[in-house]
Amino acid sequence: MADRLPHMLRSDARDNRNRLLEAARAVFSEHGLDVPMREIARRAEVGPATLYRHFPTKQALVEEAFTDELRACSGIVRAGCADADPWRGLCAVVTRITELNAHNQGFVDAFLSSYPGAVDFAAHRAGMLRSLALLCRRAQEAGSLRADFVLDDLILVFMAGRGLWATPPDVRVAAARRFAALTLEAFRASPAGTALPPPARVARAAVNG
């Protein structure tokens, strides 16, 4: 019995940690990073003391909660940069990251450091931006990306895409794809006449809502 007690305590601690991370991902995704720590503890059905025992600071909690998203974002950038066609690679990056960000306001806040005191993703962000800068240069040299494009334009797009989380869930993916397609048309060196994805009907959803 004495041997089982430490094992049970460790199991309870793991369960509490997993519940806290699950609650944090859900709350941050829905409301961004401004949510109080006590709200996360309440959602996880644990006391504040348990939360702070596992995650002494919000920074530590955010970093752990967004590990999967950061890995996914890095994978999207690597795959796009590895494409032999730089314009196709850039299109894939913009579209997939826009879709990823549409579902998670908190990750966008943390990655863009728009939340004061958020986890510092500077090293990851800097590495990805260096890779994207090279990809964009290749696309410009190929004549696909407009010559006056600068990397800050891409950051502006990701910042603007933060608002996609506010669209109704049933149109969020369509809205993200439409937004990405409109962005890429603006970035394209010359009009291609490519049909846009179906509209998201955001206005109709807002009126009916």
Side-chain angles (χ1 to χ4, degrees):
M1 180 67 178
D3 292 337
R4 291 177 56 193
L5 186 57
H7 175 74
M8 292 171 61
L9 291 175
R10 288 194 297 271
S11 178
D12 286 344
R14 283 195 299 270
D15 289 344
N16 286 338
R17 181 182 176 84
N18 290 337
R19 284 161 60 189
L20 285 164
L21 286 172
E22 183 177 349
R25 291 185 187 106
V27 172
F28 289 151
S29 175
E30 295 165 10
H31 304 293
L33 302 185
D34 286 327
V35 179
M37 292 282 273
R38 285 182 175 273
E39 172 60 23
I40 295 168
R42 187 196 66 77
R43 180 78 71 96
E45 298 182 341
V46 302
T50 299
L51 170 59
Y52 284 107
R53 186 161 57 248
H54 288 282
F55 303 101
T57 65
K58 181 179 279 190
Q59 177 171 330
L61 178 58
V62 171
E63 182 175 31
E64 187 72 18
F66 290 142
T67 296
D68 290 342
E69 284 83 354
L70 190 61
R71 186 179 299 116
C73 192
S74 298
I76 289 170
V77 172
R78 282 197 304 272
C81 291
D83 197 313
D85 182 334
W87 176 250
R88 185 174 58 199
L90 180 60
C91 290
V93 168
V94 171
T95 302
R96 293 181 63 193
I97 289 184
T98 300
E99 290 181 22
L100 176 69
N101 291 349
H103 293 286
N104 201 321
Q105 181 190 359
F107 178 66
V108 182
D109 287 348
F111 188 76
L112 296 175
S113 297
S114 60
Y115 171 76
V119 61
D120 185 8
F121 281 174
H124 300 283
R125 184 172 60 248
M128 281 188 263
L129 289 179
R130 282 194 296 270
S131 297
L132 286 172
L134 291 174
L135 177 62
C136 292
R137 190 178 309 154
R138 287 172 53 211
Q140 284 178 321
E141 291 172 352
S144 304
L145 179 63
R146 56 189 302 157
D148 57 354
F149 170 92
V150 294
L151 191 61
D152 294 279
D153 297 331
L154 194 56
I155 300 301
L156 286 174
V157 168
F158 293 151
M159 292 175 67
R162 180 182 181 276
L164 288 167
W165 72 271
T167 59
D170 60 329
V171 299
R172 196 167 293 161
V173 171
R177 290 173 180 167
R178 181 87 171 184
F179 177 73
L182 289 167
T183 295
L184 290 165
E185 281 303 303
F187 287 172
R188 192 187 295 270
S190 58
T194 305
L196 293 171
R201 305 300 183 190
V202 176
R204 183 174 63 189
V207 171
N208 293 338

